[in-house]
Structures are given as structure tokens and as C-alpha cells.
Amino acid sequence: MPRKRPGDIQVATFADHQVITQANPLRKVMRRTDTEPADDPVARAELALAELSSEFGGWMSVECDRLAAAYAGLKRGGVSSETRGELFRAAHDIKGDGATFGFPAAAAAAESLCRVIDHAPDLARVPDELLANHVDAIQAIVREGAQAGKADLQRALIRKLRNVADDYLASVNKDRPEHLEAILAPSIVPGE
């Protein structure tokens, strides 16, 4: 029987269908040797993050400055779609970057702030202390970093912020049941 060429098509016929198989022509151009280590994209990504980790604190400080500026703009200019959006985006960026950059407590506090901004029926009526306490907590967590002995204090702070935010949101959304389910969903505090 003659040897089949790589481009040959094989057809297997069955009672109710056919399976058509074509050899993969790329196999002949691919070469793998035993001395060549297999590529591990996860390991490469972890290595890249480790190399950049010295920059994380600086990046989070920049994000905190942006959050503080957005909050100051909201206080100075009042609540508008622009100031609300800038405050939300700044908090949301910290929420997204915090854990990756080694600041999971800042991410949790930013998540709580995002919930307040997102679920408050009127951001202009949110007590200023609630917004200020979130912004101050995020800044303090980033400023103090991952110092030994601070994790318990950070968890307690986040828990308190989240409880106060949840209580506020539950009280102002009593007539908006579609928001209550999301508001009253259990939260996760890092390290618990």
C-alpha cells in the first residue's frame, strides 16, 4: 500500500455520516526538541509582575491622588454627571488594580465606595462624611502599605466602612427593591 502524503484526505464512511480528516500540514514545519523547555505563559506573567512590583506603590499613589482630586472636584463643583463619573472611575480603577498591585484592602474599600456611588439614588444627598471616610481610608491604606500588624486594622476599617455604606444604601433604597438585592449581598473582606 502506498504511503499517504500529508495533504491526503481520509474519509471514514459510516451508516449515517462521514468523517473527513485532513492531515495537519503545519506539523512538518514545527520542531520540538527535548532540550527546549515548554513555554509557560503564567510563569512569564508572574515574572513580569515581580519585575514591576517595585513600581506598584507609586502607581497606587498616583491612583489615590486621582481619587482625591476627583473627590475635591465633586465637593468644589457639586454633583454632576462629569464629577460623579470621574469619582466612580477613580474608585473603580483602584478597585481593579488594588489586589494586583498588592493592596487588596484598598481594593475592598474602593469597592465599597463604588457601591455607594452606583446605588445611591442621589449622590448629592449622600452624607459627605461617608464619601470622605472612604477616600481617606483608601489613601491611608495605600500610604501605610503592607506594614506588619496593619492587616487586622485594615480589615476592621473595611468592615466598618462596608457596614456603614450598606446601612445607608439600605435606608435610602427602601422604595427601590431592585437595588436592595445587590446592596444586601454579602461582602468579602480580604483576609477573612
Side-chain angles (χ1 to χ4, degrees), residues 115 119 162 166-167 169-171 179-187:
R115 292 175 81 241
H119 294 293
R162 180 69 187 246
D166 286 351
D167 290 346
L169 290 172
S171 71
H179 285 269
L180 285 178
E181 184 178 334
I183 293 165
L184 300 176
S187 63

Side-chain angles (χ1 to χ4, degrees), residues 63 66-75 77-94 110 113-114 116-118 120 123-124 131:
E63 293 294 333
R66 187 172 144 228
L67 177 68
Y71 176 64
L74 184 120
K75 283 187 66 157
V79 176
S80 67
S81 62
E82 183 181 322
T83 57
R84 180 187 186 281
E86 185 57 35
L87 183 65
F88 182 82
R89 283 187 297 278
H92 196 269
D93 286 350
I94 292 171
L113 178 57
C114 285
V116 170
I117 296 167
D118 204 26
L123 191 60
L131 298 175

Side-chain angles (χ1 to χ4, degrees), residues 27-155:
R27 287 186 190 262
K28 65 182 176 183
V29 294
M30 186 175 106
R31 189 179 102 182
R32 181 167 283 227
T33 63
D34 291 336
T35 59
E36 189 178 302
D39 182 39
D40 184 1
V42 174
R44 280 190 295 125
E46 288 174 348
L47 180 62
L49 279 175
E51 290 172 0
L52 290 172
S53 65
S54 64
E55 305 290 328
F56 291 169
W59 292 343
M60 285 301 290
S61 293
V62 169
E63 293 294 333
C64 283
D65 292 345
R66 187 172 144 228
L67 177 68
Y71 176 64
L74 184 120
K75 283 187 66 157
R76 184 178 50 253
V79 176
S80 67
S81 62
E82 183 181 322
T83 57
R84 180 187 186 281
E86 185 57 35
L87 183 65
F88 182 82
R89 283 187 297 278
H92 196 269
D93 286 350
I94 292 171
K95 173 186 160 189
D97 294 341
T100 302
F101 292 170
F103 296 89
E111 181 208 4
S112 181
L113 178 57
C114 285
R115 292 175 81 241
V116 170
I117 296 167
D118 204 26
H119 294 293
D122 182 4
L123 191 60
R125 301 185 81 193
V126 172
D128 185 55
E129 296 82 20
L130 184 57
L131 298 175
N133 287 339
H134 278 84
V135 172
D136 292 344
I138 293 166
Q139 289 178 313
I141 290 167
V142 170
R143 182 179 56 246
E144 297 300 319
Q147 294 181 12
K150 300 287 183 182
D152 290 338
L153 179 63
Q154 290 174 353
R155 277 193 295 276

Side-chain angles (χ1 to χ4, degrees), residues 158-169:
I158 294 163
R159 199 175 306 111
K160 183 66 175 175
L161 279 173
R162 180 69 187 246
N163 287 340
V164 170
D166 286 351
D167 290 346
Y168 172 75
L169 290 172

